[in-house]
Amino acid sequence: MTHKLSSTVTQILNILNDGTIHTGIDIGEALGISRTAVWKVIKRLQKYNIDIQSQHQGYHLKEPLILLDQKKIEPFLSSKKISLEIFESLESTSHYLKNKMPLKGQTACLAEYQSMGRGRLGRKWLSPFGRNIYCSLSGVFKKDLGEMSGLSLAVAVLTANALESFDSRIKLSLKWPNDLYINNQKLGGILIELMGEAYGNCQAIIGIGLNVNMKDIKLPDLDQPWISLEHIVLEKLDRNIIVGYILRTIFEGLEVFEHKGLEAFLPEWEKYDLLRNQKVSLNTGAGKVSGIACGVDSQGFLLLENALGSIQKFSYGDTSLLKD
Ligand code: BTN
């Protein structure tokens, strides 16, 4: 379901954020809407598993929720012509932008919840309401598809830069091709979809998923260890500021990528590289190969040294560290 984030939802949650009980009548009077309209919004929010209890005295929200807010993000984009859309719920932010193609200018889209969030290699991306960042943005490049292979690494470097400059307690590693890691646990991931256009141009939809306020949530067992920023800084974070840092850094960095390609990002990739000199397994879909990771080449392909000492390169797949 596609729902724009409405000011009614934001205002109701702002009222409930004080942690006390509020009646539907009180909320309705504060917002100039009926008690039934309040009830309808609360019912919808409860469907996202938000812990709003309906008691006979009124509604009670256990944990405060700071929602996404266009006004807080826009100052980060002030010098740029970027159109930003924020949704309460979408199937997937990347899917939404893809359906709007061809996009003329630079566009970014955020959602509080994704019903069918997508990860790399056909995986699902779990997207609980109001806690994390689910963001997609579009870029047009005067490059043909063959020159775009390094984009996913460049975006990973830019996202890591943005997070580290947001808060110096955050120290990232990157797992090829573009997983964001902290302390060997997955913090987020990037999904790049490329479409060729006429005259050697191409469009990219860049999807970023980042765990932010996830310390007090129970999730179904995931196939790998994960972490959120709240686990590092030990407080709930305002996602708007983080999104601001990320969008500003990425849109500026995409201009560098357009002119200089991946080469401009390789020294920083080396700094963040989680796999370098480690024994690594790579699942290519067609099978698994293992070897010692020796960084990446100028196109961003993974270099693996096999047992015979020869180096092979790989353009896609899923990597994991092998324990000795
Ligand atoms: C990965 O598998 O590591 C990549 C995950 C990318 C998830 C993001 S969330 C925003 C955007 N919309 C999606 O459906 N996927 C990406």
Side-chain angles (χ1 to χ4, degrees), residues 151-166:
L151 181 67
S152 63
L153 279 73
V155 172
V157 165
L158 290 165
T159 310
N161 284 346
L163 292 174
E164 291 198 354
S165 50
F166 161 71

Side-chain angles (χ1 to χ4, degrees), residues 92-94 114 117-120 125 135-136 179 186 189-190 208-209:
S92 146
T93 51
S94 290
Q114 295 185 122
R118 295 181 289 154
R120 284 183 63 238
W125 190 258
C135 170
S136 295
D179 282 348
K186 185 153 169 168
I190 293 164
I208 301 165

Side-chain angles (χ1 to χ4, degrees), residues 23-238:
T23 65
I25 297 178
D26 288 347
I27 298 174
E29 268 174 14
L31 304 188
I33 56 175
S34 71
R35 188 178 121 188
T36 315
V38 174
W39 175 81
K40 276 189 185 157
V41 172
I42 301 269
K43 280 275 154 259
R44 203 166 77 224
L45 292 175
Q46 285 171 332
K47 285 203 184 119
Y48 299 123
N49 276 332
I50 301 174
D51 199 0
I52 305 178
Q53 285 157 11
S54 322
Q55 304 160 344
H56 61 275
Q57 309 98 307
Y59 302 112
H60 177 229
L61 175 68
K62 264 192 156 175
E63 286 283 331
L65 265 179
I66 310 165
L67 291 192
L68 295 168
D69 181 347
Q70 191 119 2
K71 285 200 199 79
K72 287 190 186 170
I73 300 171
E74 269 168 0
F76 288 90
L77 312 173
S78 54
S79 59
K80 306 248 176 324
K81 285 198 193 94
I82 294 164
S83 101
L84 173 66
E85 292 185 86
I86 303 184
F87 291 86
E88 175 187 311
S89 159
L90 276 180
E91 196 173 291
S92 146
T93 51
S94 290
H95 186 248
Y96 173 77
L97 282 190
K98 223 169 157 183
N99 279 344
K100 285 185 75 164
M101 300 239 322
L103 290 154
K104 286 206 184 75
Q106 287 172 314
T107 308
C109 151
L110 295 161
E112 292 289 8
Y113 174 83
Q114 295 185 122
S115 56
M116 288 177 69
R118 295 181 289 154
R120 284 183 63 238
L121 308 171
R123 295 198 192 99
K124 285 190 184 139
W125 190 258
L126 205 68
S127 310
F129 185 96
R131 293 177 171 269
N132 297 326
I133 292 172
Y134 318 117
C135 170
S136 295
L137 51 112
S138 71
V140 183
F141 298 86
K142 290 189 197 75
K143 286 179 181 290
D144 64 46
L145 282 177
E147 297 172 278
M148 294 296 288
S149 58
L151 181 67
S152 63
L153 279 73
V155 172
V157 165
L158 290 165
T159 310
N161 284 346
L163 292 174
E164 291 198 354
S165 50
F166 161 71
D167 191 313
S168 57
R169 289 169 291 180
I170 300 171
K171 299 278 174 244
L172 269 294
S173 302
L174 298 175
K175 184 170 79 68
W176 186 90
N178 52 20
D179 282 348
L180 296 137
Y181 267 65
I182 292 182
N183 300 340
N184 283 331
Q185 293 150 297
K186 185 153 169 168
L187 176 79
I190 293 164
L191 176 71
I192 306 259
E193 292 163 276
L194 294 170
M195 274 91 17
E197 284 192 333
Y199 309 111
N201 286 356
C202 67
Q203 285 234 6
I205 305 286
I206 299 167
I208 301 165
L210 203 67
N211 303 331
V212 182
N213 293 322
M214 295 279 277
K215 207 155 177 284
D216 56 350
I217 191 172
K218 283 203 175 55
L219 291 179
D221 272 350
L222 297 181
D223 57 355
Q224 53 186 325
W226 59 271
I227 194 165
S228 76
L229 294 178
E230 187 187 4
H231 287 91
I232 302 299
V233 300
L234 303 178
E235 59 184 332
K236 290 254 179 294
L237 293 165
D238 185 344

